[in-house]
C-alpha cells in the first residue's frame, strides 16, 4: 500500500473488530494492529485510526472509559471515533474527546431511530466525515446492501455547506464515502470534488 500510493497520500486505518465489537479481545490485538500498520507510519502516510463502534455500544461512563483506555494504548497514533447510537450525542462526550485529543466522526446515514444526525463538529484540528448513504430500507439488514445508495447533488451540497462550518474549526478535513456498493462511493466522491470546486470558484 505504501508503494502503490503517491508520496502525499494519507491513510486512516479502521481498527479491527476486536477494538470495537469483541472488546474483551482488544488488549491482545492492539499490539498486532500497531505492528501491522507500522510500515504506513514509517512512510509518514498514517494519519490515524478509526474506531467505528456498533449501534449496540451505547453511552455509559464505563464505555467512555473503555474508549479512553484503548486510545491511550495506540502509541500516540491519533484516533477518530464513530458512534452509531445517538446516546453519545451529549456535550460532555465531545468535551472529553477534545480534552483527550480524540477526533469526532461526523456521519451521514439514514435518519432512523437513534442513529446520529449529520453534524459539522470537530474535537481536534482535523475534521472527519463519513458518508454511508441513506438506504433506510435495507440499513438494518447489514451487509453490502446497507451501503447501496447514490447521493443526489442536493444532498452533496448539504455537505459542502457543512464543510464550510468545519473549515472554521479545523486545519484540514477528511471526507470518506462509504456507500461502496457497485462503485457508488467513487462516483459520488468525484462529484463532491466538483461541487467543492464550484463552491470555491
Amino acid at each position: 500500500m505504501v508503494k502503490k500510493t503517491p508520496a502525499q497520500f494519507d491513510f486512516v486505518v479502521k481498527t479491527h473488530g476486536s477494538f470495537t465489537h469483541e472488546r474483551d479481545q482488544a488488549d491482545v490485538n492492539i499490539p498486532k494492529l500497531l505492528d501491522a500498520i507500522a510500515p504506513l507510519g514509517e512512510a509518514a502516510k498514517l494519519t490515524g485510526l478509526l474506531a467505528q463502534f456498533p449501534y449496540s455500544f451505547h453511552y455509559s461512563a464505563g464505555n467512555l472509559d473503555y474508549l479512553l483506555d484503548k486510545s491511550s494504548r495506540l502509541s500516540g497514533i491519533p484516533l477518530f471515533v464513530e458512534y452509531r447510537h445517538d446516546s453519545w450525542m451529549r456535550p460532555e462526550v465531545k468535551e472529553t474527546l477534545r480534552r483527550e485529543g480524540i477526533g469526532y466522526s461526523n456521519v451521514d446515514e439514514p435518519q432512523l431511530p437513534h442513529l446520529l444526525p449529520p453534524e459539522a463538529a470537530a474535537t481536534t484540528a482535523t475534521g472527519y466525515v463519513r458518508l454511508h448513504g441513506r438506504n433506510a430500507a435495507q440499513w438494518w439488514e447489514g451487509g453490502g446492501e446497507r451501503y447501496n445508495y447514490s447521493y443526489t447533488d442536493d444532498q452533496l451540497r448539504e455537505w459542502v455547506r457543512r464543510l464550510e462550518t468545519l473549515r472554521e474549526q479545523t486545519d484540514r478535513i477528511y471526507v470518506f464515502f462509504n456507500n461502496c456498493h457497485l462503485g457508488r462511493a467513487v462516483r459520488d466522491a468525484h462529484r463532491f470534488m466538483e461541487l467543492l470546486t464550484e463552491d470555491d470558484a
Side-chain angles (χ1 to χ4, degrees):
M1 293 171 71
V2 169
K3 294 177 181 178
K4 290 181 178 180
T5 50
Q8 300 303 314
F9 196 91
D10 295 334
F11 286 93
V12 178
V13 177
K14 189 175 178 182
T15 60
H16 187 266
S18 61
F19 192 103
T20 53
H21 292 62
E22 300 86 34
R23 293 182 289 279
D24 60 335
Q25 299 297 311
D27 289 345
V28 173
N29 286 309
I30 285 175
K32 298 176 184 178
L33 170 65
L34 297 179
D35 183 61
I37 63 176
L40 298 177
E42 293 164 2
K45 291 187 173 186
L46 182 63
T47 292
L49 294 164
L50 169 72
Q52 179 196 297
F53 287 95
Y55 179 83
S56 60
F57 188 71
H58 296 185
Y59 171 80
S60 70
N63 281 343
L64 183 57
D65 286 343
Y66 170 89
L67 171 62
L68 300 182
D69 175 67
K70 300 317 171 216
S71 175
S72 71
R73 299 170 186 261
L74 298 178
S75 300
I77 298 172
L79 179 68
F80 300 91
V81 61
E82 177 182 341
Y83 301 114
R84 285 285 174 92
H85 193 275
D86 65 1
S87 59
W88 291 93
M89 293 195 65
R90 52 184 70 205
E92 60 266 33
V93 169
K94 289 192 178 73
E95 290 169 7
T96 300
L97 297 181
R98 192 172 291 111
R99 184 180 67 246
E100 299 297 328
I102 299 173
Y104 180 77
S105 177
N106 300 278
V107 294
D108 189 281
E109 55 196 12
Q111 291 305 282
L112 295 169
H114 298 296
L115 292 183
L116 275 72
E119 297 183 88
T123 54
T124 66
T126 300
Y128 201 95
V129 178
R130 297 191 79 213
L131 291 89
H132 299 292
R134 303 179 183 181
N135 188 354
Q138 294 175 295
W139 183 261
W140 297 121
E141 295 177 14
E145 288 298 325
R146 167 181 286 179
Y147 305 112
N148 184 2
Y149 188 84
S150 292
Y151 283 95
T152 67
D153 278 7
D154 285 344
Q155 291 169 343
L156 294 176
R157 287 191 178 97
E158 294 172 14
W159 279 102
V160 170
R161 292 191 291 271
R162 290 191 185 99
L163 257 61
E164 293 172 0
T165 300
L166 274 176
R167 283 173 175 168
E168 298 172 358
Q169 309 171 54
T170 59
D171 298 329
R172 59 179 174 175
I173 303 169
Y174 290 93
V175 180
F176 296 87
F177 283 80
N178 192 42
N179 56 326
C180 47
H181 191 80
L182 298 175
R184 302 186 195 285
V186 176
R187 292 192 293 272
D188 285 349
H190 278 290
R191 181 56 182 153
F192 188 62
M193 292 170 66
E194 292 173 351
L195 294 173
L196 285 171
T197 302
E198 291 175 8
D199 187 63
D200 290 336

